[in-house]
Amino acid sequence: MSGDLTNRIVAFLDDPAIVRSTQSVPGIAIGTVKGPLRDDNQDRVVAAYISPQSGKALLVAIVCDGMGGMADGGRAATLAASTFISCLALSTGGKPSAKTLVDAVRQSDRAVFEALKGEGGTTLTAIVMIEPASGWIAHVGDSRAYDANSEFAIEQLTRDDTIAGLVGGEEADEKSRDNRLLQFVGQGGDLEAHIIPLKGMGRRFLLASDGVHGMGKKVLQAIASNSSSAADLVRKIVFVSDATGVDDNASAVALSIDDFVVPPSYPSGVALTLWSATNKLEIWLGGIQGRSTAPARQQTARIEKQATKAPAKKTQKRVKREVIGEQSPPPKPQLKIDFGSGEDEADD
């Protein structure tokens, strides 16, 4: 089933034609814009909520920036993000650990390496929350994770896997830094994922590709300080990147834990909800408690599809609900439960 799930997420994320798009739900905002010097968008940005029948639920956000100087960066980013999420979804039978994230990064690296033979790669920066105040960052490359306080003042939590990141000089101007990558997902072999615990940190976070932090710390801080919500923050990042003609693709995902509303889930199996900058997908993994033992021959069956009209310059937003497994999914409960302690509040 691991292959089926990964392939389905690949199909969901594989949309390189996106020019500019943002999407938000309470507590989550996602956006991306293609840089003027790129033929396609090789960034992949996604948020996911994984709800097992037993064990800890996970709130996940990922940015993967495909390496434009290598072969098929977009494919590398898609495969890395999809494999990472699939690994987490199929290993939630107990309490997740830092080792869970290390394994997910290594499997992502292996999947990209086997597909592109070491000729393509991507960054991978992910936040995995297991409860409102704890979780981890998994990080490889030069995408970044930031802590954001109540005024959306940002503090960088990751160190770039670059020459500049190795020797210091984080305060230097972005354009004068030596940003050659020291490691990336898809290189194979001795990949060392950075795992950073989030316990005791804030409840708002921002992930960004280098097209975003390439605007410079002062610009990004000014945008963050003048944003009223996660949705407002991501929209402004995308629009400023587009308006100023940032060369690279620019993508971001913001989390505001207190505003997040847990999606309704099935009473059995594993429920998986994913959001990209354009679409939403709901998957039920039938009969799974923790790591799957279901036969690989099981097929994906679509049970519902809805489409809504999207605004200009955006790929059409779609909501799909699917089941992977041989059983029919039980009806969903209608109760919504807050993930955090704050009141429900739409990002609009």
Side-chain angles (χ1 to χ4, degrees):
M1 178 168 300
S2 176
D4 288 341
L5 179 58
T6 299
N7 290 338
R8 183 60 194 92
I9 300 174
V10 165
F12 172 68
L13 293 179
D14 196 16
D15 193 358
I18 297 174
V19 175
R20 187 186 74 201
S21 187
T22 62
Q23 178 175 203
S24 65
V25 298
I28 300 174
I30 306 167
T32 188
V33 60
K34 183 180 75 67
L37 300 184
R38 300 289 186 183
D39 294 331
D40 61 348
N41 192 334
Q42 297 187 347
D43 287 356
R44 299 295 182 267
V45 56
V46 59
Y49 184 73
I50 303 169
S51 177
Q53 181 179 353
S54 61
K56 296 286 187 178
L58 304 179
L59 178 61
V60 184
I62 307 174
V63 170
C64 288
D65 181 357
M67 298 173 65
M70 301 183 74
D72 213 342
R75 183 184 177 196
T78 298
L79 189 54
S82 301
T83 304
F84 187 86
I85 294 173
S86 178
C87 290
L88 294 180
L90 298 178
S91 61
T92 53
K95 183 177 180 180
S97 66
K99 184 179 182 300
T100 307
L101 273 67
V102 171
D103 291 343
V105 171
R106 287 176 177 172
Q107 290 190 49
S108 300
D109 175 64
R110 187 179 304 114
V112 175
F113 181 80
E114 290 177 353
L116 299 177
K117 312 304 181 186
E119 297 182 357
T122 179
T123 70
L124 188 156
T125 302
I127 286 180
V128 179
M129 301 291 297
I130 60 171
E131 54 187 55
S134 67
W136 302 271
I137 295 170
H139 171 67
V140 176
D142 64 350
S143 297
R144 292 180 183 173
Y146 297 89
D147 185 17
N149 64 25
S150 58
E151 288 77 32
F152 283 98
I154 58 173
E155 177 185 353
Q156 186 175 336
L157 298 175
T158 53
R159 179 177 290 274
D160 297 349
D161 276 330
T162 61
I163 300 295
L166 178 66
V167 300
E170 295 292 335
E171 300 300 323
D173 182 82
E174 294 287 345
K175 293 184 178 180
S176 65
R177 292 163 49 88
D178 189 339
N179 290 322
R180 288 175 292 176
L181 283 177
L182 298 174
Q183 64 171 359
F184 55 88
V185 172
Q187 69 182 36
D190 298 328
L191 181 69
E192 182 180 348
H194 307 286
I195 307 298
I196 304 167
L198 293 176
K199 189 171 183 179
M201 293 187 183
R203 299 167 68 83
R204 288 179 170 177
F205 300 93
L206 173 69
L207 300 180
S209 66
D210 64 350
V212 172
H213 59 74
M215 293 187 292
K217 183 177 180 179
K218 290 183 178 179
V219 174
L220 185 56
Q221 180 61 76
I223 295 171
S225 298
N226 290 281
S227 299
S228 60
S229 65
D232 190 33
L233 173 60
V234 169
R235 280 196 298 263
K236 287 178 178 177
I237 286 173
V238 168
F239 292 151
V240 169
S241 298
D242 195 18
T244 57
V246 173
D247 292 343
D248 203 354
N249 305 312
S251 302
V253 53
L255 299 180
S256 181
I257 304 304
D258 289 335
D259 299 326
F260 180 65
V261 178
V262 173
S265 61
Y266 297 113
S268 64
V270 177
L272 175 60
T273 305
L274 301 102
W275 299 269
S276 70
T278 56
N279 301 322
K280 177 182 177 182
L281 176 66
E282 296 177 350
I283 297 175
W284 179 68
L285 305 177
I288 296 192
Q289 299 184 25
R291 192 170 297 278
S292 171
T293 57
R297 66 176 181 274
Q298 291 178 335
Q299 300 296 314
T300 300
R302 182 173 300 165
I303 61 174
E304 183 177 351
K305 178 180 178 181
Q306 298 177 344
T308 58
K309 186 176 180 181
K313 293 194 74 177
K314 293 187 180 181
T315 304
Q316 187 180 48
K317 289 183 174 64
R318 298 182 296 275
V319 178
K320 297 181 181 179
R321 295 181 175 88
E322 302 185 356
V323 52
I324 296 179
E326 296 177 346
Q327 306 174 36
S328 297
K332 280 189 173 184
Q334 297 303 309
L335 178 65
K336 290 189 177 182
I337 304 172
D338 288 341
F339 188 83
S341 59
E343 297 180 356
D344 295 354
E345 183 174 287
D347 285 331
D348 73 56

